Amino acid sequence: MRRKLFVKLAVLLFGFAVPCSGQSVHDTYFDAYKNLEIFNEIYKNLELLYVDTLKADETIGVAIDAMLGSLDPYTEYYPASKSNELKQMLTGKFAGIGALIRYNQQLKQVVIDEPFEGMPAQEVGLKKGDIIISIDDSLMKGKDVPYVKSRLTGDPGTTFKLKIKRPSTGKTMQMKVTRRMVQDKAVPFYKLLDNGIGYINLKSFTEDCSKHVRRAAIELKEKGMKSLILDLRGNGGGSEMEAVKTVNIFVPKDELITRNKGKLPQANREYKTTVEPLDSLMPLVVLVNDNTASSSEIVSGAFQDLDRAVIMGTRTYGKGLVQIPIDLPYNSQMKVTTSKYYIPSGRCIQAINYRHSRGGYTEHVPDSLTHVFYTRAGREVRDGGGIKPDVEVQPDSIANITAYLSYGDSTEVMRNYEIDYIASHPTIAPASEFVLSDADYEEFKARVLKSGFTYDRQSEKYIEELEKLIRFEGYYDDAREEIEALKKKLQHNVEKDLDYNREQICRFLESDIVAAYYYQAGVIDQSLRHDKQVRAACELLNDLERYNSILAKPKK
């Protein structure tokens, strides 16, 4: 009788009753009811007795976040105040001014970094480097990026007053800006390269992204495309259905692309291609990296399992979990992991096991514990740990000085140079042709040296650690001369490092400058000139014998 009572209670509490493996329905839901009752009593006593007045949203919100934090990082709660974040994640749309903003470390203020083409920020004349003084008479000095962003976004059609200061002229300006729906471009750039090789950059799997990929592919075919590079590097995923539709552009109808398996029967689904493809034979290379995740891994994994494309780059992130949004009371929502997905070979590429004990213990799946699966042609692939590329091509590494100039410089000398360059050049060469002259770089170099820019050299840190270890082990007296000689050779020399890394620093400068004239499409176009992985993909597509040998059935 008590068992039936607790099952009924579970249905009332949770809407359904599902036994957990190794534990009876009675035990599972008695434990849940018991702990919910305890939690309720704890909060009632805190509300009654605690010395300070509690803020219910904050206190219980922390408890909810802690509960979900013991699961996986993708199961999240969105109170009404943050429900727009989930909507933006699912659709790629939000209402705002359409611009990237950043925190200027020198000014201690948020500035405009990159207006988007055709958006309100561009239309009212905002430019890179503009300092945000106030929004609707509310001062923004000292505020961080999330705070300023929350004031810039809002309901479509609403208007606000924006006051900015333009550093290149010193003038303060006020303008009226009307928010409107902004959608990140799923396909920010595509182009026909040499020898009939098409290139499509797919940034995210948001609403209708597959239509944009199809449209780009059709246009490139009309221009003479004979093979294609699909760039999924940095694509963090999105809609599972859009991933399947994207695969369908290049794979025949009625192919199983992914299968979801969860605890509940309604979480189990199969996704197949539903229409005839645009082209199922054209040679295809898919570029991936460690930030290629989720739906991007469904696409790259399905292409690999079906031997439809050569996967090139570095191993992907390894997210094999599927989430769905759920509406909660009072306009709140949550995103909850309901299943794992399995690509055509039958493998799940989830890289981390989330243990729901000890506050969310995680365990990376080592290669030694992965299992062998086979592509349609019989090539060996493995589960766990993401998608391993068929051809591994490492990207160029970023020099330490370049990283500091771009992201960690309190003098902001690089950004200040770019702002002044843009102000003094009304136009520049096309994005794919733009380069800084020798004189331009020498001017930048002089500014850096004058600014007092410094950065931590990794070699110096390692020498310090080595010296500590040698002293600890008692070898320092014998090795003193060698250590001191090595220190002299590796002395901090900013001018020398600026010369040695000139080519790479120029690329970063050129990319930021191009963005101010040609926006995100121009940045991608400009980057292709130096892209090591794109170059490797082109070389492979120009050698179809090698391309076909990679996808061929292995010889016994």
Side-chain angles (χ1 to χ4, degrees):
M1 185 68 184
R2 279 190 71 192
R3 184 178 186 279
K4 289 182 179 180
L5 177 63
F6 280 116
V7 171
K8 287 181 179 179
L9 181 60
V11 174
L12 290 173
L13 282 171
F14 306 110
F16 50 80
V18 180
C20 295
S21 57
Q23 193 174 25
S24 70
V25 175
H26 170 276
D27 291 339
T28 300
Y29 289 110
F30 174 74
D31 287 347
Y33 177 73
K34 177 185 70 176
N35 284 286
L36 285 171
E37 191 174 16
I38 291 170
F39 178 85
N40 187 47
E41 289 299 313
I42 288 172
Y43 187 79
K44 283 193 332 187
N45 280 285
L46 287 174
E47 183 69 54
L48 181 67
L49 302 173
Y50 190 66
V51 63
D52 295 324
T53 301
L54 298 180
K55 294 180 181 179
D57 286 348
E58 184 178 310
T59 306
I60 297 177
V62 169
I64 291 172
D65 290 340
M67 174 176 64
L68 300 184
S70 70
L71 305 177
D72 64 69
Y74 313 111
T75 298
E76 297 179 272
Y77 168 65
Y78 296 84
S81 60
K82 295 185 177 180
S83 60
N84 282 338
E85 291 182 18
L86 180 58
K87 185 178 180 181
Q88 180 183 338
M89 185 187 304
L90 297 172
T91 65
K93 299 177 183 177
F94 62 97
I97 68 169
L100 294 178
I101 58 175
R102 61 181 290 271
Y103 188 77
N104 185 297
Q105 298 181 67
Q106 182 185 37
L107 302 172
K108 308 300 181 188
Q109 284 190 257
V110 174
V111 300
I112 299 293
D113 193 45
E114 184 183 329
F116 297 156
E117 187 175 12
M119 289 291 114
Q122 184 214 10
E123 291 170 356
V124 299
L126 290 174
K127 296 185 180 297
K128 184 183 184 71
D130 285 347
I131 304 162
I132 300 175
I133 304 297
S134 65
I135 300 172
D136 275 341
D137 299 324
S138 177
L139 293 177
M140 295 295 114
K141 186 173 180 62
K143 305 299 184 183
D144 59 15
V145 168
Y147 183 90
V148 176
K149 181 182 177 182
S150 70
R151 270 42 181 193
L152 292 174
T153 55
D155 294 328
T158 56
T159 300
F160 65 95
K161 290 185 297 182
L162 177 66
K163 183 183 286 187
I164 61 103
K165 182 178 180 180
R166 184 152 294 163
S168 58
T169 62
K171 291 182 179 179
T172 298
M173 295 177 279
Q174 185 167 292
M175 54 200 69
K176 186 182 287 186
V177 187
T178 301
R179 301 179 182 95
R180 72 167 182 258
M181 291 306 297
V182 178
Q183 182 169 16
D184 293 335
K185 288 186 177 180
V187 179
F189 181 76
Y190 58 94
K191 183 179 184 178
L192 187 65
L193 308 177
D194 295 336
N195 299 329
I197 298 173
Y199 171 88
I200 298 177
N201 185 294
L202 179 54
K203 184 179 179 183
S204 61
F205 285 92
T206 47
E207 266 181 353
D208 295 330
C209 72
S210 58
K211 291 181 181 178
H212 298 301
V213 175
R214 179 179 285 272
R215 192 177 300 124
I218 290 172
E219 185 178 325
L220 291 173
K221 281 176 72 72
E222 289 173 349
K223 291 181 178 179
M225 178 174 67
K226 299 174 183 176
S227 58
L228 174 66
I229 299 168
L230 179 63
D231 193 346
L232 297 181
R233 292 173 298 178
N235 186 324
S239 166
E240 188 176 21
M241 182 60 76
E242 287 298 324
V244 176
K245 289 179 179 179
T246 301
V247 174
N248 198 173
I249 299 170
F250 306 103
V251 167
K253 184 179 179 181
D254 293 327
E255 287 280 5
L256 176 66
I257 302 304
T258 182
R259 178 186 287 115
N260 293 354
K261 295 181 182 178
K263 183 166 65 175
L264 296 177
Q266 52 264 49
N268 298 335
R269 293 192 63 181
E270 289 187 349
Y271 292 91
K272 293 184 177 182
T273 53
T274 57
V275 298
E276 295 301 329
L278 176 66
D279 193 320
S280 62
L281 299 174
M282 181 173 58
L284 177 63
V285 170
V286 179
L287 295 180
V288 297
N289 64 7
D290 58 349
N291 288 316
T292 300
S294 188
S295 295
S296 296
E297 293 175 294
I298 291 176
V299 172
S300 52
F303 280 142
Q304 186 176 59
D305 285 357
L306 297 172
D307 303 297
R308 177 62 188 89
V310 170
I311 312 303
M312 179 180 285
T314 56
R315 187 180 293 207
T316 64
Y317 183 82
K319 180 177 180 287
L321 305 175
V322 179
Q323 290 76 43
I324 64 168
I326 295 175
D327 291 330
L328 298 175
Y330 302 103
N331 297 318
S332 59
Q333 293 174 295
M334 72 181 295
K335 178 165 60 73
V336 59
T337 299
T338 57
S339 58
K340 293 181 178 180
Y341 70 79
Y342 298 79
I343 49 181
S345 64
R347 56 183 171 141
C348 176
I349 50 85
Q350 176 65 22
I352 299 174
N353 287 330
Y354 294 100
R355 306 297 186 188
H356 312 316
S357 59
R358 301 193 298 281
Y361 167 73
T362 61
E363 172 187 82
H364 283 263
V365 180
D367 287 345
S368 59
L369 294 182
T370 58
H371 306 90
V372 174
F373 291 79
Y374 296 94
T375 70
R376 181 164 290 177
R379 296 185 298 135
E380 186 177 299
V381 289
R382 287 183 171 268
D383 65 355
I387 304 295
K388 184 178 180 182
D390 303 308
V391 179
E392 184 173 356
V393 180
Q394 292 289 339
D396 290 327
S397 59
I398 299 176
N400 201 25
I401 187 172
T402 309
Y404 268 84
L405 282 167
S406 299
Y407 311 117
D409 173 24
S410 60
T411 71
E412 297 279 350
V413 63
M414 177 178 272
R415 298 287 186 250
N416 292 338
Y417 172 82
E418 292 165 356
I419 290 166
D420 290 343
Y421 185 96
I422 293 163
S424 62
H425 293 77
T427 61
I428 61 171
S432 60
E433 301 172 15
F434 174 71
V435 291
L436 288 171
S437 67
D438 291 344
D440 291 332
Y441 189 76
E442 287 304 314
E443 181 188 344
F444 170 71
K445 176 181 165 183
R447 283 199 184 198
V448 174
L449 296 175
K450 186 178 179 181
S451 72
F453 164 80
T454 59
Y455 70 101
D456 295 330
R457 290 188 55 169
Q458 296 300 311
S459 56
E460 290 178 353
K461 289 183 178 180
Y462 282 110
I463 289 175
E464 288 175 5
E465 292 300 318
L466 178 63
E467 185 177 339
K468 288 178 184 177
L469 181 62
I470 290 173
R471 287 180 183 275
F472 175 75
E473 294 182 344
Y475 301 128
Y476 181 74
D477 289 341
D478 292 337
R480 183 197 302 267
E481 289 185 16
E482 288 84 352
I483 289 289
E484 293 304 317
L486 189 58
K487 280 183 180 180
K488 287 182 181 179
K489 285 187 177 182
L490 297 176
Q491 269 186 341
H492 200 78
N493 188 327
V494 174
E495 184 173 8
K496 177 183 175 183
D497 290 343
L498 285 169
D499 289 334
Y500 183 78
N501 296 288
R502 174 177 181 156
E503 182 180 349
Q504 186 181 86
I505 294 170
C506 267
R507 290 183 199 171
F508 275 67
L509 286 166
E510 290 162 358
S511 177
D512 287 344
I513 291 169
V514 161
Y517 298 87
Y518 301 109
Y519 307 99
Q520 194 58 41
V523 172
I524 299 170
D525 193 10
Q526 189 264 347
S527 71
L528 295 180
R529 193 168 66 229
H530 311 288
D531 197 314
K532 178 181 175 182
Q533 292 171 322
V534 170
R535 188 164 58 246
C538 289
E539 289 171 358
L540 178 60
L541 290 170
N542 285 322
D543 185 354
L544 290 183
E545 184 177 349
R546 179 177 165 230
Y547 172 90
N548 290 325
S549 69
I550 293 170
L551 298 176
K553 184 177 181 178
K555 295 179 181 179
K556 291 185 180 180

